Amino acid sequence: MSVRTPDPDPTPDPLPGDGPQPGPAWLSDLELEQIRRRLPLLYVEAVPVRVDGLGQVTEVGVLLRANAVGEITRTLVSGRVMYGETLREALFRHLEKDLGPMAFPLLPASPVPFQVAEYFPLPGVSPFTDERQHAVSLAYVVPVTGTCEPRQDALELTWVTPEEAVSPTMCDELEGGRGALVKAAMASVGRILA
């Protein structure tokens, strides 16, 4: 499973005129690997949805990705919260990164997630797994109103009905136990019984 947000390569000593440099929130791959072995990392995850005029969820967006070992899997919008970044900023950044700049997400009015998901490297501790790290993720349902054109490592975005999103077939295809997260998302918006 990969919830990786690529960090730019840090420049050790910028020269005058080099332009903007990555801030202290960015980590090298080595630094990130070392930190992942010692600390849980904070992530945000978004279940992108389309809503009708009454605010009822009509479609759920699921990303198709190739993971680190070349397998094609389904997943959600997700990524790390950087040092000094608000939850809203992180959520918006990852939605734009995965869905494109024309997705026009409507961020929730409250920063309270519908669920806190804890990912562990060993299966069985929680429904959620990430073989690389212990991560804590704040999960949100986010309506999007624009055109979604997946970018970065996302291959495509598939829109399915809420019923299809919580089907056993779709839940089994979602990496890292995210099927349970989609079910909780649909329960939080009243599309299925909890």
Side-chain angles (χ1 to χ4, degrees), residues 33-114:
E33 184 180 329
Q34 291 171 343
I35 289 170
R36 281 183 167 146
R37 287 189 295 221
R38 294 188 174 118
L39 299 170
L41 294 176
L42 180 62
Y43 282 75
V44 288
E45 292 189 273
V47 179
V49 297
R50 300 269 192 208
V51 296
D52 64 16
L54 296 174
Q56 297 291 316
V57 173
T58 58
E59 293 180 302
V60 178
V62 181
L63 291 168
L64 191 66
R65 278 200 183 141
N67 66 17
V69 294
E71 300 169 332
I72 302 297
T73 61
R74 294 202 180 272
T75 193
L76 301 173
V77 172
S78 65
R80 290 190 320 274
V81 177
M82 297 296 172
Y83 181 81
E85 184 177 46
T86 68
L87 293 175
R88 283 183 185 291
E89 291 166 342
L91 197 53
F92 186 82
R93 179 170 56 86
H94 290 293
L95 283 157
E96 185 176 78
K97 172 186 71 78
D98 284 347
L99 303 181
M102 302 304 288
F104 301 131
L106 301 174
L107 296 183
S110 169
V112 177
F114 72 84

Side-chain angles (χ1 to χ4, degrees), residues 160-174 179 182-183:
V160 297
T161 66
E163 295 76 23
E164 291 170 320
V166 299
S167 71
T169 303
M170 181 65 73
C171 288
D172 288 345
E173 289 180 19
L174 285 158
V182 170
K183 286 181 182 178

Side-chain angles (χ1 to χ4, degrees), residues 2-24:
S2 177
V3 287
R4 175 167 163 62
T5 300
D7 291 335
D9 292 330
T11 304
D13 295 318
L15 300 171
D18 278 351
Q21 299 298 309

